[in-house]
Amino acid sequence: MSAWSGAAAASPFRPALAHDQAGRLDGEYAGDHWNAQRLGVPARRGRRAARFDAITQDWLRDPAKRWSRFRLATGCAFATISSGALALSRFSAFLAEKHPGVTDERGITRPVLEDYLSWLLAQGYPASTRAQSLSMLRVFSGACHRHGWLPGLSHDAVIYAEELPFHHDQVARFIPGFVMAQLESPAALDRLVHHYPQPRGGPDRDRAARR
């Protein structure tokens, strides 16, 4: 180790610098506008911001930021954090519009969540947006139950996997009836027989040969 590196390691200013950096990061995380570059988190251009200011309920916004910081620490991409903040902002808007009397997590009940399912549909969101909103809320609720971030949250306040709308909104591609009628017409069936003729002797001889 060089004399310079040894002196730097022993410098009393290094702990102070580390403490200042940690304090700066804590201040960034306490804010309602997160910037990936200022947080030292990699993110693609155009996806470096996460906003929590649209979550108007303090009791919901603070755990949302705590959950988001925890997810970053476990390796989630910053774009996922931004999507989670947006999803919880939608839930916040729903509460403000439909359940303004909810003043803490104890007001989040299973009937309220069922009402949220209907509200998302009434807003005209596509299935993918509704699925993202509900899945993010589902993961957030599970983390709050596990870590005690919303201690008053009822254990039956959950979104079930089968309630995610993405798979239910897939449109089956049926063959139109008039096309089936053409395919099953005598002329079409005769063409099939022409292209795939029966073995000599017909099907009876074929069955006898297999005995």
Side-chain angles (χ1 to χ4, degrees):
M1 184 171 62
S2 66
W4 181 88
S5 60
S11 172
F13 295 105
R14 288 180 61 85
L17 288 173
H19 183 269
D20 289 344
Q21 184 179 16
R24 183 187 63 79
L25 283 177
D26 287 341
E28 293 287 345
Y29 280 117
D32 293 338
H33 295 241
W34 288 8
N35 181 281
Q37 190 172 10
R38 292 200 302 266
L39 294 173
V41 177
R44 288 189 291 175
R45 186 185 300 272
R47 298 189 176 185
R48 296 175 179 172
R51 298 188 57 171
F52 299 89
D53 55 325
I55 305 175
T56 57
Q57 299 85 357
D58 292 341
W59 58 267
L60 180 61
R61 183 172 59 252
D62 291 342
K65 289 190 289 187
R66 189 169 182 179
W67 172 61
S68 299
R69 185 172 182 175
F70 174 80
R71 298 189 87 196
L72 276 177
T74 59
C76 281
F78 195 81
T80 302
I81 303 305
S82 181
S83 297
L86 181 59
L88 292 178
S89 296
R90 291 193 190 102
F91 184 60
S92 172
F94 156 75
L95 291 176
E97 178 183 334
K98 293 295 185 180
H99 297 273
V102 173
T103 57
D104 58 32
E105 68 270 21
R106 291 173 296 181
I108 306 301
T109 61
R110 175 62 192 174
V112 169
L113 295 179
E114 291 173 355
D115 194 18
Y116 184 48
L117 295 173
S118 301
W119 183 84
L120 285 173
L121 188 62
Q123 299 305 301
Y125 290 120
S128 57
T129 300
R130 288 184 280 123
Q132 183 190 54
S133 300
L134 293 171
S135 61
M136 287 291 186
L137 180 59
R138 183 170 182 258
V139 175
F140 171 70
S141 300
C144 288
H145 282 136
R146 190 176 306 114
H147 299 286
W149 294 331
L150 287 173
L153 184 64
S154 173
H155 283 281
D156 68 352
V158 294
I159 299 290
Y160 297 106
E162 59 267 24
E163 293 173 331
L164 302 181
F166 187 76
H167 299 292
H168 298 298
D169 285 10
Q170 299 298 314
V171 178
R173 292 179 172 84
F174 297 104
I175 299 177
F178 74 92
V179 175
M180 286 301 302
Q182 294 175 4
L183 292 174
E184 294 174 344
S185 66
L189 294 177
D190 287 342
R191 292 180 65 185
L192 288 175
V193 172
H194 175 74
H195 286 290
Y196 303 98
Q198 291 285 345
R200 290 182 179 181
D204 292 338
R205 179 175 177 178
D206 185 56
R207 283 195 295 269
R210 290 197 299 267
R211 290 176 182 175

